[in-house]
Amino acid sequence: MQYTLLTHNELNLLFDAGADSGVVIAHIEEIQTLADEMNAFYENLLTASNEQATELEAKRQGLLKKIGFNIIGVPFTNHDAELYAVDRGLHVERLDLKG
């Protein structure tokens, strides 16, 4: 099975190559915002509230519903997508977004 590894700024996202990468690209700014929010949450984990965690999870689930398929990588999973692919010997096609 082939996979797409989409990179954008600090994002590395891995998904089935048969999935519509255009959907991910259309939501890339929302994904980036969620990733930034999750990173800030984990940086302040000792003072984070359960409400913040619940809110982030709801945003993650809502974004996955919009996209319509599973994605490996922050902010969807705690895996680094590129390392995940290498570790499992997956055949990937790179798609680098600039800007």
Side-chain angles (χ1 to χ4, degrees):
M1 180 175 247
Q2 290 192 344
Y3 294 84
T4 298
L5 178 65
L6 185 144
T7 62
H8 174 69
N9 298 330
E10 299 296 317
L11 292 175
N12 288 319
L13 306 172
L14 182 70
F15 48 90
D16 183 347
D20 183 2
S21 60
V23 174
V24 179
I25 294 168
H27 294 288
I28 200 70
E29 293 306 319
E30 286 178 84
I31 295 168
Q32 182 67 62
T33 298
L34 180 58
D36 293 344
E37 290 175 4
M38 290 185 92
N39 287 334
F41 175 82
Y42 286 116
E43 285 175 6
N44 299 299
L45 192 56
L46 293 177
T47 59
S49 68
N50 288 339
E51 291 80 20
Q52 289 170 309
T54 301
E55 181 182 320
L56 285 174
E57 179 59 19
K59 285 182 181 181
R60 186 185 75 80
Q61 289 294 334
L63 196 48
L64 278 174
K65 276 188 178 180
K66 286 181 189 180
I67 293 169
F69 51 86
N70 288 327
I71 298 176
I72 295 168
V74 175
F76 302 105
T77 67
N78 290 330
H79 303 95
D80 177 277
E82 192 166 14
L83 292 176
Y84 182 93
V86 169
D87 186 50
R88 286 162 178 75
L90 303 178
H91 183 272
V92 299
E93 175 185 332
R94 264 189 109 83
L95 177 59
D96 295 314
L97 299 180
K98 304 296 181 201

